[in-house]
Amino acid sequence: YAMIIIDTLVDYMVGKAPIYTIEDPEQEDSETDEAPIVTEYRKKLTALLNEKATLSLAELLRQGCIAGYSAIIAWVDEKGNIDYNEYPVQEVVPVFDVRGRLAMVLRVYEIDVQEGTQIVTKKRLEVYDDRYISYYISNGDGFTLDESEVATGNPIEHKAGRIPVAIYQNGQPAKYKDRIKSIGKSDLSFGSFDLIIAYAHGLSDKANLVEYLQDMYLLLTGVDVDEKEVLKMRKARAIALKDAKSKAEFIAQDQADGAVENFLTRLSKDIYD
């Protein structure tokens, strides 16, 4: 879902929470023809979505629209519960191979550790590949394996069958090497981009028109003066007429630009639609 709508306007989507519906989520197992394992999966998935998916998706959208990508990391805790969370893009560094496939994901963040009697802030590095999760701690100019994780395994095999991180890139579907068909890419930009260009041209022309309107022409009738004297009068905004039959007036362009305003309003509406 996130990879489809991540290109949608921020002020619209982030303010509207998604709603997840699954038919009869509380139905008894005996009331359905689905396999027991499907029933169990459906109920667990529904609980997982209701618990935190709305908040996570909102953060995914915010970060994706600002930074160009966002990330979710999934894991199984010590009790066997599946969990996931989104993380700031400042922490997550996706690494792609030359064919654009996700090769590994690095997560770098700061933690406080106790060294003797002091609390020291150090950088922690998590490395996710398609088989292992490795934990490192900063040590001088580099990183060493985090000894606090050795008891449970470091590196530890995650058994997810793929990198347990979803990277949502702006306008691109999440994909991995085993996926045959690419799905989910947003095609919204193909229509709106041309409209945005037209809107930019329209605004530019309107700005030129406003500049012209501010630069009115000075019409002098029955006045015998040279060009330099006309420029002086124009600059001083004072006109000296020596003959009673002489006449001076400013000429402005027609300011009735309703058609231009209607065009810009229509473009703006179509872009948002």
Side-chain angles (χ1 to χ4, degrees), residues 222-225 229 240-246:
V223 178
D224 185 15
V225 293
E229 192 172 355
L241 299 178
K242 301 177 182 179
D243 192 323
K245 296 181 180 180
S246 301

Side-chain angles (χ1 to χ4, degrees), residues 74-93:
W75 66 89
V76 179
D77 64 17
E78 289 80 359
K79 297 181 180 179
N81 298 316
I82 301 173
D83 205 352
Y84 68 95
N85 203 358
E86 53 79 28
Y87 291 91
V89 293
Q90 295 90 333
E91 296 182 4
V92 180
V93 183

Side-chain angles (χ1 to χ4, degrees), residues 17-27 41-58 82-84:
I19 299 174
Y20 301 91
T21 59
I22 296 180
E23 186 177 358
D24 297 331
E26 301 299 328
Q27 68 184 355
Y41 175 78
R42 173 171 51 80
K43 290 184 176 181
K44 287 186 176 181
L45 180 62
T46 305
L48 193 62
L49 291 175
N50 290 336
E51 181 180 354
K52 62 193 302 184
T54 299
L55 177 60
S56 296
L57 181 56
I82 301 173
D83 205 352
Y84 68 95

Side-chain angles (χ1 to χ4, degrees), residues 138-234:
S138 60
N139 184 9
D141 296 331
F143 289 86
T144 57
L145 286 174
D146 188 352
E147 295 182 359
S148 65
E149 296 285 346
V150 172
T152 55
N154 190 16
I156 186 171
E157 192 171 3
H158 53 66
K159 299 182 180 180
R162 52 165 294 193
I163 299 173
V165 183
I167 303 294
Y168 297 105
Q169 291 180 272
N170 225 335
Q172 295 184 12
K175 58 185 178 180
Y176 51 97
K177 61 184 180 181
D178 294 330
R179 172 174 285 174
I180 299 175
K181 185 178 179 181
S182 176
I183 61 172
K185 185 172 182 179
S186 170
D187 60 355
L188 297 176
S189 62
F190 297 114
S192 62
F193 191 67
D194 293 337
L195 294 175
I196 292 171
I197 292 177
Y199 188 77
H201 284 306
L203 281 182
S204 177
D205 292 340
K206 182 61 183 285
N208 292 335
L209 177 60
V210 171
E211 185 176 350
Y212 294 150
L213 293 177
Q214 294 173 342
D215 188 18
M216 294 185 290
Y217 293 98
L218 173 60
L219 173 64
L220 296 174
T221 305
V223 178
D224 185 15
V225 293
D226 59 21
E227 183 179 351
K228 292 183 180 179
E229 192 172 355
V230 173
L231 293 175
K232 288 181 181 179
M233 287 190 291
R234 181 185 176 91

Side-chain angles (χ1 to χ4, degrees), residues 25-145:
E26 301 299 328
Q27 68 184 355
E28 298 296 329
D29 296 351
S30 58
E31 297 176 359
T32 176
D33 294 331
E34 66 189 14
I37 192 172
V38 177
T39 301
E40 182 182 3
Y41 175 78
R42 173 171 51 80
K43 290 184 176 181
K44 287 186 176 181
L45 180 62
T46 305
L48 193 62
L49 291 175
N50 290 336
E51 181 180 354
K52 62 193 302 184
T54 299
L55 177 60
S56 296
L57 181 56
E59 288 301 319
L60 276 177
L61 287 167
R62 287 191 187 96
Q63 293 197 85
C65 292
I66 295 171
Y69 75 94
S70 52
I72 279 183
I73 299 177
W75 66 89
V76 179
D77 64 17
E78 289 80 359
K79 297 181 180 179
N81 298 316
I82 301 173
D83 205 352
Y84 68 95
N85 203 358
E86 53 79 28
Y87 291 91
V89 293
Q90 295 90 333
E91 296 182 4
V92 180
V93 183
V95 180
F96 298 92
D97 62 18
V98 293
R99 297 179 62 183
R101 298 173 300 187
L102 192 63
M104 68 175 63
V105 176
L106 313 178
R107 180 183 172 223
V108 185
Y109 56 99
E110 292 185 342
I111 60 171
D112 292 331
V113 297
Q114 186 163 355
E115 291 187 350
T117 58
Q118 294 183 329
I119 301 295
V120 181
T121 299
K122 289 190 173 185
K123 286 186 177 180
R124 195 163 194 253
L125 170 64
E126 299 175 3
V127 179
Y128 298 84
D129 59 32
D130 57 5
R131 186 174 179 182
Y132 295 103
I133 304 175
S134 305
Y135 301 94
Y136 298 86
I137 197 79
S138 60
N139 184 9
D141 296 331
F143 289 86
T144 57
L145 286 174

Side-chain angles (χ1 to χ4, degrees), residues 237-253:
R237 298 182 181 275
I239 303 173
L241 299 178
K242 301 177 182 179
D243 192 323
K245 296 181 180 180
S246 301
K247 183 180 179 182
E249 61 181 323
F250 283 100
I251 300 177
Q253 295 190 45

